[in-house]
Amino acid sequence: MSQNFKLYSQYYDLLYKHKDYKAETDYLLELIQNYLPGAKNIIELGSGTGKHANLLAEKGFQILGLERSPEMVEIANQTKKDNVTFQVADIAVFKTDQSFDVALSLFHVISYLTDNQSLINTFSHANSYLNKNGLLIFDVWHSPAVHAQVPEKRTKILKDEKIEVSRYAEPIIDSERNIVEVNYTIEVKNLNNEQTLTINEKHPMRHFTKPEIELLAYATGFEVLHNEEFLTGANPSGNTWGVCYVLRKK
Ligand SMILES: C[S@@+](CC[C@H](N)C(=O)[O-])C[C@H]1O[C@@H](n2cnc3c(N)ncnc32)[C@H](O)[C@@H]1O
């Protein structure tokens, strides 16, 4: 598995400063309320810089965030709330004797698990540390949208008072493995001295169909309760890039 979110981590919050974590957290709270009212503690798989975890903690949940990138955990720890713990861990390997009501994995973290064994391990381990009827909620890239829209080269530019970050994304499509390898070139311009730093990272992303998730759920002791477009709740289609799944431990 490739290492990513190293140097990139320093620019992550700037690149996603318009992402509405508050609205996403409200959306997740509604799903949890619908499918497991009374849930108290959450394990977050791939917690990044900790934005969802902190907002959920403000609502009274106890949270353990697992994150593979130590750089992301270091950033997350700078704003950590009292009832949150962040831990450097690979979600495909992590096991614990603790138990949780809900496992969340947000913003396509599961799509970063590109091989079957990592997916089976992650879901099986989640099954072992979830309480009876516990939920596994995650969003993934949706194969029908990848086929209908075909990923293209994209540029994103954002700046703050010190730096301007330009991110160029070049996708390579591996249609035999349902993977899109997104090659990022990130140019960071220091606005004081005009010097530029260039970072390259590969982000291989797997996309999924509903029957594939159903099979994975079945093989790892879950049932699929629901799926819908992340955040809007619309029925998934060729226009839906991110689909949210709600699984329940059987
Ligand atoms: C797009 S970011 C999402 C971060 C956060 N959930 C958010 O919504 O901002 C994907 C994150 O998943 C993490 N990740 C990917 N594979 C992982 C793994 N096997 N174990 C733990 N974390 C992983 C990456 O390091 C990265 O921080």
Side-chain angles (χ1 to χ4, degrees):
M1 203 179 286
S2 69
Q3 280 300 311
N4 37 41
F5 294 99
K6 286 171 85 69
L7 283 172
Y8 181 101
S9 63
Q10 292 172 48
Y11 309 107
Y12 184 84
D13 283 339
L14 177 59
L15 282 164
Y16 291 109
K17 77 172 180 185
H18 299 302
K19 187 169 163 61
D20 194 344
Y21 282 95
K22 166 93 179 49
E24 292 185 11
T25 302
D26 288 345
Y27 166 78
L28 294 163
L29 287 168
E30 204 176 315
L31 286 177
I32 295 170
Q33 184 57 34
N34 282 347
Y35 292 101
L36 192 63
K40 289 189 173 50
N41 64 349
I42 295 176
I43 183 164
E44 190 186 352
L45 312 178
S47 43
T49 56
K51 295 270 196 280
H52 293 111
N54 283 332
L55 289 163
L56 288 161
E58 281 173 11
K59 300 286 178 187
F61 289 95
Q62 194 73 36
I63 319 269
L64 171 62
L66 304 179
E67 169 51 55
R68 186 178 57 186
S69 156
E71 293 83 1
M72 295 290 261
V73 170
E74 201 180 320
I75 295 167
N77 275 333
Q78 289 164 13
T79 53
K80 190 184 87 58
K81 304 280 179 210
D82 285 347
N83 37 343
V84 182
T85 306
F86 294 113
Q87 185 174 330
V88 178
D90 184 333
I91 58 173
V93 176
F94 178 83
K95 287 183 183 172
T96 179
D97 292 335
Q98 276 180 270
S99 60
F100 301 88
D101 299 317
V102 178
L104 291 176
S105 195
L106 306 165
F107 202 16
H108 315 143
V109 174
I110 297 298
S111 283
Y112 279 86
L113 304 175
T114 51
D115 63 287
N116 289 345
Q117 197 59 58
S118 300
L119 287 161
I120 289 170
N121 291 350
T122 302
F123 280 50
S124 300
H125 295 166
N127 189 281
S128 71
Y129 53 65
L130 279 173
N131 291 322
K132 188 166 181 274
N133 293 328
L135 302 178
L136 172 57
I137 302 177
F138 58 93
D139 60 324
V140 282
W141 281 21
H142 189 48
S143 298
V146 174
H147 296 142
Q149 296 175 33
V150 187
E152 295 173 340
K153 284 187 188 180
R154 282 187 186 191
T155 302
K156 185 169 186 175
I157 301 177
L158 280 154
K159 64 175 166 182
D160 61 17
E161 53 297 337
K162 292 187 192 144
I163 53 170
E164 181 180 85
V165 179
S166 308
R167 189 188 70 181
Y168 306 96
E170 190 168 352
I172 296 173
I173 295 165
D174 180 344
S175 46
E176 289 303 310
R177 295 193 303 147
N178 287 2
I179 291 171
V180 179
E181 186 182 271
V182 186
N183 290 284
Y184 287 123
T185 302
I186 299 148
E187 288 175 3
V188 186
K189 193 203 283 178
N190 181 324
L191 296 175
N192 289 326
N193 60 18
E194 298 284 308
Q195 282 185 354
T196 302
L197 164 77
T198 303
I199 300 164
N200 293 297
E201 279 197 8
K202 277 186 202 311
H203 289 221
M205 307 294 293
R206 179 160 170 178
H207 48 89
F208 299 87
T209 58
K210 186 178 181 196
E212 220 178 337
I213 296 293
E214 283 170 338
L215 187 61
L216 180 61
Y218 177 76
T220 54
F222 287 99
E223 61 180 322
V224 177
L225 294 181
H226 184 62
N227 79 328
E228 63 183 29
E229 184 172 61
F230 186 75
L231 208 54
T232 70
N235 283 332
S237 71
N239 293 320
T240 313
W241 202 265
V243 171
C244 178
Y245 286 86
V246 181
L247 274 50
R248 179 165 59 202
K249 175 174 169 166
K250 280 202 284 197

